[in-house]
Amino acid sequence: MAEPIIVIKDLVKYFHHLHVLRGVTTEVLRGEVVVIIGRSGSGKSTLLWCLNLLEEPQAGRVEIDGIELPIGKKRTAEVRKKIIEIRTRMGMVFQEFNLFPHRSIIENIIEGPVIVKGVDQKSAIAKGEELLQWVGLSEKRDSYPDQLSGGQKQRVAIARALAMEPKSMLFDEPTSALDTELIGEVLGVMKRLAEEGMTMIVVTHEMGFAREVSDRIIFLDEGTILEEGTPEKIMKDPQHESTRVFLDHIL
């Protein structure tokens, strides 16, 4: 049986007086694809951001590939080093791409390996070109982000995350900023990634992707996991009225 690569226990997050995560507890197995669904404001994106300390939880325990997050600890040099190590093991793809506009596509991809991991530039470029070919964008190597479509930018963002050779990947609504005709090209890359065994947590409203690719769906409601199960179980036989209402609205 696969072992958990991500362990989340009793995770709590407030924004001032707003209680966003209310003791979230779950595990993600190595090679598993987990899709998180729920209404806007249910805490889905916040959960992802807490997993690599882009947001600081107030309480709880998170372990990523054997490393425990230093939740609530002062950001000493040692703690910052641990956070960087966690972020190199867990790639993240954002809704808005977050590419550097003044750098070429290949420069965007090699920045992390060269600056953070100390990979020599020649090796980083070779790996970057390989990844661009993998996402179908070899011809955009020397282009700049403003010369690409939204779907192309997001595929570059995936290649950039993969350049760090992560053990797992977080996707925060990766298609929500895209026009309808561009969504498929990004989901296609994500599907291939899943087929190759990448551990993935995906926040999305793309229920076709969830049905076809995920091993498990989590329904997050007001900062708690209301229910979770296989795509078939959640979509065909949800146990909670809130889940049923949400799925009726989105499907």
Side-chain angles (χ1 to χ4, degrees), residues 81-93:
K81 185 178 177 183
K82 182 180 276 193
I83 292 170
I84 289 169
E85 173 67 15
I86 287 163
R87 288 176 182 166
T88 61
R89 295 188 186 206
M90 177 187 285
M92 186 158 183
V93 176

Side-chain angles (χ1 to χ4, degrees), residues 39 226-227 238-246:
R39 297 177 188 84
L226 198 59
E227 63 179 303
Q239 300 301 297
H240 290 267
E241 179 63 21
S242 293
T243 315
R244 280 194 288 273
V245 170
F246 174 80

Side-chain angles (χ1 to χ4, degrees), residues 7-12 23-26 59-63:
V7 177
I8 306 165
K9 189 164 179 58
D10 300 325
L11 198 64
V12 173
V24 172
T25 297
T26 191
R61 178 175 165 271
V62 175
E63 191 176 293

Side-chain angles (χ1 to χ4, degrees), residues 34 42 62 84 104 130 145 149 184 219:
V34 175
S42 60
V62 175
I84 289 169
S104 70
E130 183 184 311
S149 70
F219 179 66

Side-chain angles (χ1 to χ4, degrees), residues 15 43-57 69 87 92-95 98 170 172:
F15 288 112
K44 306 183 301 296
S45 293
T46 300
L47 174 57
L48 291 198
W49 285 53
C50 284
L51 293 184
N52 55 17
L53 290 182
L54 290 171
E55 287 291 348
E56 178 87 34
L69 259 67
R87 288 176 182 166
M92 186 158 183
V93 176
F94 300 88
Q95 184 175 331
N98 289 6
L170 308 177
D172 186 12

